[in-house]
Amino acid sequence: MWLAEIFVTPKKNILDPQGEVIKKTLGHMGYKKVADVKQGKYFQVVINETAKPTETIKKMCAQLLVNQIIEDYTFKLEKIK
Amino acid sequence: MKFGVVVFPGSNCDHDCFHAVKHVLKKNTEFIWHQSTNVAGFDCLILPGGFSYGDYLRTGAMAHVSPVMKAVKKFSAGGGLVIGICNGFQILLESGLLPGTMMKNTCLHFLCQHIHLVCQNTRTPFTNTLNEKQVLRIPIAHNEGNYYADEKTLKELEKNNQIVFQYCSSGGAVRPEFNPNGSKMNIAGITNKDGNVLGMMPHPERAMEKLLGSTDGVGVFLSIINYLSGEKI
């Protein structure tokens, strides 16, 4: 069994209004030194395979989990019981 | 001539689309449930607005893998007409039938209001009864109407006359202050390269009868009927 942790973030050149609003709100709360905030997504996918499913994860990201026009992603794979 | 209104779990503008074509324009129309893989006998497919799959993950992201979409793709590859309205447009983008993507409105809230659109290309199956630069007053109702594509794609859209509708003033001026959601180039509606698939964020099916405040949506559906009747564009 494998646990895939997938981290999805807006691409650098894409305006992230949600991140901007969160940064402003943090500022109102007193966190004046926040330089930037980006809001992304996190997926946990447990896969029942023996071999490390790197290519499977990449395909899942390309076909569904990630909008590759406006999002980047990285992932970690960990063998679990 | 037969129209099909595709219904996904969470679609909520399917009945308005059905009413527009069946009851207002008196054309043969049927609902097509998203599990169906058969679109034989239809001349135009409508992907209606709503919140298919609750907009979970991304708007239109899961609907684009519904069984019916394989049939819709084959249908459009064969030249069949497909019009995606609002969530329908988002589904067409996620499925790759149209280029680009939708992001959250830059104002970060749901917009529900009448806007003006200018028609930039009347030589499509969806706009052939409109006049060049005709301005339509049509409602929008969306949270993710901010159309984005990279510069290369935008240049292609322009070069191929695929930008069919742009947000504008009541006089037809395309300027940032008349763009409700931040979409690139004030884009409100585009076609694919072959011109048989249209996606538009505003709701023409909500502008069919005087009682609803505007009949400017009629032209879009009349154009489809005109095209299917064999009239030269």
Side-chain angles (χ1 to χ4, degrees):
Chain A
M1 289 270 255
W2 293 86
L3 168 66
E5 290 182 286
I6 305 163
F7 306 88
V8 183
T9 50
K11 282 195 155 127
K12 278 195 172 66
N13 59 322
I14 299 292
L15 175 69
D16 176 24
Q18 289 175 116
E20 290 298 314
V21 168
I22 294 167
K23 181 177 147 195
K24 274 202 185 102
T25 309
L26 286 170
H28 294 323
M29 290 166 70
Y31 299 104
K32 304 286 183 199
K33 296 201 175 165
V34 177
D36 191 30
V37 175
K38 289 259 177 273
Q39 179 172 315
K41 290 178 207 162
Y42 166 74
F43 298 98
Q44 278 183 343
V45 181
V46 175
I47 300 191
N48 194 358
E49 287 237 27
T50 332
K52 197 173 185 187
T54 311
E55 289 313 308
T56 306
I57 292 295
K58 282 182 183 170
K59 276 192 207 154
M60 284 180 186
C61 288
Q63 290 170 4
L64 184 68
L65 299 178
V66 180
N67 179 335
Q68 297 191 293
I69 298 177
I70 51 173
E71 292 173 333
D72 285 329
Y73 74 99
T74 58
F75 64 93
K76 286 195 284 187
L77 272 168
E78 182 194 329
K79 206 161 204 283
I80 56 172
K81 221 176 184 178
Chain B
M1 182 182 311
K2 192 156 84 161
F3 287 78
V5 179
V6 180
V7 185
F8 299 93
S11 295
N12 67 8
C13 302
D14 44 325
H15 281 268
D16 284 349
C17 289
F18 186 92
H19 174 77
V21 192
K22 174 108 182 167
H23 299 134
V24 180
L25 296 178
K26 314 276 186 231
K27 292 298 169 194
N28 191 4
T29 313
E30 283 176 21
F31 289 111
I32 303 171
W33 181 232
H34 77 115
Q35 299 280 27
S36 170
T37 51
N38 180 15
V39 296
F42 290 97
D43 301 289
C44 176
L45 300 177
I46 304 173
L47 305 190
F51 298 88
S52 58
Y53 292 89
D55 276 1
Y56 295 153
L57 182 59
R58 297 183 304 277
T59 71
M62 304 221 260
H64 97 265
V65 293
S66 267
V68 74
M69 286 308 292
K70 254 203 190 124
V72 173
K73 282 185 181 175
K74 201 172 171 198
F75 176 84
S76 70
L81 298 188
V82 180
I83 171 170
I85 299 167
C86 202
N87 188 223
F89 186 5
Q90 292 158 345
I91 295 167
L92 290 173
L93 291 167
E94 284 282 344
S95 69
L97 283 171
L98 288 173
T101 190
M102 280 298 169
M103 301 198 296
K104 273 194 164 26
N105 299 338
T106 43
C107 58
L108 287 183
H109 59 254
F110 192 93
L111 292 168
C112 185
Q113 63 199 55
H114 276 88
I115 47 80
H116 292 97
L117 298 178
V118 61
C119 179
Q120 301 290 21
N121 182 359
T122 56
R123 298 183 63 77
T124 81
F126 311 95
T127 52
N128 58 73
T129 61
L130 302 178
N131 299 318
E132 203 71 36
K133 307 289 182 199
Q134 183 170 343
V135 175
L136 308 177
R137 185 171 169 271
I138 302 226
I140 56 170
H142 58 246
N143 209 352
E144 282 94 359
N146 177 358
Y147 177 79
Y148 175 86
D150 59 27
E151 284 307 312
K152 181 168 174 251
T153 306
L154 292 173
K155 282 196 169 78
E156 278 279 312
L157 292 177
E158 252 190 317
K159 188 173 131 226
N160 300 328
N161 295 310
Q162 289 172 247
I163 301 173
V164 176
F165 293 117
Q166 287 177 293
Y167 298 109
C168 65
S169 68
S170 56
V174 177
R175 288 203 299 266
E177 58 265 40
F178 304 112
N179 183 337
N181 50 38
S183 59
K184 287 278 184 188
M185 297 177 67
N186 282 36
I187 283 170
I190 58 169
T191 61
N192 61 345
K193 210 166 172 191
D194 290 337
N196 63 313
V197 178
L198 172 82
M200 60 188 295
M201 282 315 288
H203 289 264
E205 81 284 8
R206 295 187 191 182
M208 302 290 293
E209 294 163 290
K210 213 168 157 196
L211 185 67
L212 295 179
S214 171
T215 53
D216 287 358
V218 174
V220 173
F221 294 105
L222 273 185
S223 296
I224 297 172
I225 292 165
N226 201 35
Y227 175 84
L228 292 173
S229 304
E231 291 297 322
K232 247 192 149 180
I233 296 179

